[in-house]
Amino acid sequence: MASAPSSTTSRTHLPETARELVKILVAGPFGVGKTTLIDSVSEIRPLHTEEPLSEASAQTDDLAGVQDKSTTTVAIDFGRISLPDGIVLYLFGTPGQERFRSLWDDIAYGALGALVLVDSRRIDASFDVLGLVEETGLPYAVAFNAFPDAPRHYTDEQLRAALDLEPTTPMLVCDARDADSSIDALLALVQHLIDRHPPEHR
């Protein structure tokens, strides 16, 4: 297992203000930017289980639209980010290929929600992952990763229809390379979780 530095790395220990520890999945198809998003926001040195793509895996993994990709996550990515009001997110990036599907239940265990990254250049690649998230019963938000050559002509209504999203499912655009943009996507998911299960007043 290898770990990679993060531009936002600033602390190792949990802040004293932490009061809600939340496990979140960062899901999406192969090459959509899950590792990049976790790298961009993690306040600790992120953990990665990336391996180089080989000729053998090229026979299995669909590289259409991601021909420049040279590595792939084979287990999980892991990072942590502290949000306002004492909420700390533990981020678990899931592998995006069908051949790693057997890991899904183990990684998803105990998660409260999922941020599903989508590539608008290949929307159909997200169907299987969205199906897994829905089968698990996890609330989720959808974030379209803003690749430079992503099409800009789709309307929100067209994108929702293409993914068959419920009207209440948050959907936004983010740049997985940018910490602020990625945090905004995570905040949209957290707000969605709060709206579904408002905290009890004590």
Side-chain angles (χ1 to χ4, degrees):
M1 294 185 188
S3 56
S6 168
S7 60
T8 58
T9 300
S10 61
R11 62 171 73 98
T12 300
H13 302 291
L14 278 173
E16 294 181 0
T17 55
R19 60 181 182 83
E20 297 287 345
L21 310 182
V22 181
K23 180 179 180 180
I24 294 295
L25 300 187
V26 179
F30 175 64
V32 77
K34 302 179 294 291
T35 299
T36 300
L37 184 142
I38 290 175
D39 272 353
S40 74
V41 303
S42 184
E43 65 195 12
I44 61 173
R45 186 178 179 88
L47 172 70
H48 298 308
T49 55
E50 289 218 320
E51 294 293 337
L53 285 169
S54 64
E55 289 186 17
S57 65
Q59 304 299 317
T60 305
D61 299 328
D62 183 4
L63 296 177
V66 288
Q67 292 90 342
D68 294 336
K69 188 168 175 59
S70 60
T71 61
T72 185
T73 299
V74 297
I76 62 167
D77 294 314
F78 175 77
R80 190 189 77 201
I81 178 69
S82 298
L83 299 178
D85 299 323
I87 298 172
V88 177
L89 304 184
Y90 289 101
L91 305 175
F92 287 77
T94 63
Q97 298 99 306
E98 176 66 25
R99 59 195 172 99
F100 296 118
R101 184 168 182 164
S102 59
L103 294 171
W104 176 265
D105 288 341
D106 290 335
I107 298 173
Y109 181 79
L112 293 189
L115 179 66
V116 180
L117 289 181
V118 176
D119 182 347
S120 59
R121 302 171 302 177
R122 47 191 187 99
I123 290 176
D124 57 345
S126 301
F127 295 161
D128 287 345
V129 174
L130 283 167
L132 277 173
V133 173
E134 291 177 351
E135 287 174 18
T136 309
L138 288 174
Y140 63 93
V142 168
F144 283 86
N145 194 4
F147 289 97
D149 59 342
R152 311 291 180 188
H153 58 275
Y154 296 126
T155 66
D156 285 354
E157 292 75 15
Q158 288 173 320
L159 292 172
R160 280 191 175 275
L163 295 174
D164 195 24
L165 298 181
E166 296 288 338
T168 55
T169 300
M171 188 188 76
L172 63 158
V173 174
C174 83
D175 185 339
R177 301 166 299 179
D178 180 77
D180 290 339
S181 180
S182 297
I183 289 171
D184 284 346
L186 291 167
L187 286 171
L189 171 61
V190 170
Q191 187 60 56
H192 182 50
L193 299 179
I194 292 172
D195 291 344
R196 286 170 57 93
H197 301 286
E200 296 181 1
H201 295 289
R202 296 174 181 171

